[in-house]
Amino acid sequence: MDNNEAAVDKTLFWMVTTCGIFGAFIPFVVKMVLQVITRETELEANLRRQACDLKAELGSISMVDEFAKYAKIKRKVIKVTDELSHQADVRSSYTMKVRLIATFALYALMSCTVIFLLWNYRKIPVIVLPEEYLYPFNSLLSYPSGVPGGISLTSWLFICGTVGRAMTKSMKF
């Protein structure tokens, strides 16, 4: 094996390992992107502050002694709260759309990458180990490449995906 083939094998190994593990972390990546993109807007912060101020003012007024003023402030509180609720619904809707689109896009990208890798490198082993290391499962792990002691791309993707899911489960994402 010359130096160029060794570089391709290392690249293939890392590409397949990354794809296998990254597939399990897609929901976490989407969640992190959403936290950055969908923060509370300035309008929502102002409405929340306004609602708190009005509720504090409402608490300081006696309902019996100043009913007209109390009712006026109560209507303002309801109006601000309704607007805040509407803004939260809009943000929630936007977050759901972005979550669906980002999740679909990342899974589609992963699928295309895996299909490309499987189509072009299905007969090339990702790793070649001494045959005795894989003794009972040698033929299963090397299918479809058939290289003795080799672990095929399909098997390595399965192994990396399983490890990635175990990692996400242990990290509780």
Side-chain angles (χ1 to χ4, degrees), residues 58-90:
L58 196 62
S60 67
I61 295 174
S62 172
M63 186 169 134
V64 175
D65 296 338
E66 302 177 67
F67 181 75
K69 187 175 181 182
Y70 183 87
K72 184 178 178 183
I73 294 174
K74 182 74 172 167
R75 284 192 300 270
K76 284 183 183 179
V77 167
I78 291 171
K79 182 180 175 187
V80 169
T81 306
D82 287 346
E83 179 62 26
L84 188 60
S85 174
H86 173 70
Q87 291 298 323
D89 289 345
V90 168

Side-chain angles (χ1 to χ4, degrees), residues 26-163:
I26 287 176
F28 174 70
V29 170
V30 170
K31 183 178 166 184
M32 297 303 286
V33 168
L34 284 174
Q35 286 178 350
V36 171
I37 291 176
T38 59
R39 291 191 174 154
E40 185 177 63
T41 63
E42 198 173 314
L43 175 64
E44 287 176 297
N46 287 339
L47 287 172
R48 191 174 311 282
R49 204 172 310 111
Q50 217 176 20
C52 287
D53 292 345
L54 287 171
K55 284 179 184 177
E57 187 178 342
L58 196 62
S60 67
I61 295 174
S62 172
M63 186 169 134
V64 175
D65 296 338
E66 302 177 67
F67 181 75
K69 187 175 181 182
Y70 183 87
K72 184 178 178 183
I73 294 174
K74 182 74 172 167
R75 284 192 300 270
K76 284 183 183 179
V77 167
I78 291 171
K79 182 180 175 187
V80 169
T81 306
D82 287 346
E83 179 62 26
L84 188 60
S85 174
H86 173 70
Q87 291 298 323
D89 289 345
V90 168
R91 185 165 42 99
S92 175
S93 173
Y94 174 73
T95 302
M96 182 60 72
K97 288 177 190 174
V98 171
R99 175 179 282 127
L100 288 174
I101 291 169
T103 302
F104 176 77
L106 286 174
Y107 276 120
L109 179 67
M110 279 294 303
S111 298
C112 290
T113 304
V114 168
I115 289 169
F116 172 80
L117 289 170
L118 286 171
W119 186 263
N120 291 312
Y121 299 103
R122 66 184 173 274
K123 300 281 186 183
I124 300 172
V126 177
I127 302 172
V128 179
L129 300 170
E131 284 184 64
E132 57 271 3
Y133 287 2
L134 307 173
Y135 165 62
F137 306 108
N138 191 16
S139 61
L140 181 67
L141 291 173
S142 67
Y143 181 80
S145 68
V147 175
I151 299 178
S152 70
L153 187 129
T154 309
S155 300
W156 192 246
L157 272 172
F158 178 74
I159 291 167
C160 290
T162 303
V163 168

Side-chain angles (χ1 to χ4, degrees), residues 7-18 126-127 156 160:
V8 169
D9 289 343
K10 287 180 186 176
T11 304
L12 180 64
F13 170 79
W14 288 113
M15 182 72 150
V16 173
T17 303
T18 303
V126 177
I127 302 172
W156 192 246
C160 290

